[in-house]
Amino acid sequence: MWEPARHVPLSLLTWNAGEVSAAIEDIAADALAHFDDERFWPAHPLEDGLPDGTTSFYMGATGVIWALDYLRRVGASKPAFDFTPVLPRLIEKNRAEFAGQGYAAHGSLLFGDLGTALAAMRLRGEPALADTIYARA
């Protein structure tokens, strides 16, 4: 499971809250700079052939959107971005992505539409999203 060539070795660093805050801001800004309305985000090159625009909570657009919103909500990041216009496409693409993989029929937070519905509900509460969450739960 752990492959040394795919990981950065740990190093002893002194905790510096300012450096941590700056790193979080850089990461959030970089994520927003690479966002695309049509394909969401490119896959990481070390993700073993994962296609660009993956939508899952675990390793896709839903998780990135949730993380960026969370960092903003808790005050760890200042950049804000309105993802509500892309939510219908995210939900549609997520359902299509997992339709033939067995996750569509049950509630899976990390894969399937439950996690995507929960993240979308936080950004834009709608009765249809609540119905999806209820059905999957």
Side-chain angles (χ1 to χ4, degrees):
M1 180 171 265
W2 181 73
E3 298 176 33
R6 293 182 65 169
H7 294 84
V8 176
L10 294 176
S11 58
L12 294 174
L13 299 174
T14 304
W15 176 261
N16 182 313
E19 287 179 10
V20 171
S21 293
I24 291 171
E25 287 290 343
D26 287 348
I27 292 167
D30 184 64
L32 289 172
H34 286 91
F35 176 72
D36 180 276
D37 288 5
E38 294 299 316
R39 65 178 180 98
F40 306 115
W41 281 276
H44 191 278
L46 296 179
E47 284 296 340
D48 297 328
L50 189 70
D52 291 348
T54 300
T55 63
S56 75
F57 197 107
Y58 183 67
M59 57 188 167
T62 297
V64 177
I65 290 170
W66 177 87
L68 290 170
D69 179 62
Y70 176 81
L71 290 171
R72 183 197 52 77
R73 280 186 290 112
V74 299
S77 176
K78 293 176 189 75
F81 188 86
D82 182 11
F83 289 105
T84 57
V86 300
L87 293 179
R89 255 191 23 73
L90 176 66
I91 292 167
E92 179 183 317
K93 188 171 179 193
N94 176 261
R95 287 182 179 156
E97 187 175 322
F98 291 100
Q101 297 185 17
Y103 292 102
H106 61 83
S108 173
L109 175 65
L110 301 179
F111 296 101
D113 64 353
L114 176 59
T116 301
L118 285 166
M121 186 73 168
R122 173 165 291 286
L123 297 174
R124 185 186 73 191
E126 292 182 349
L129 291 170
D131 291 343
T132 296
I133 292 165
Y134 177 80
R136 296 300 181 258

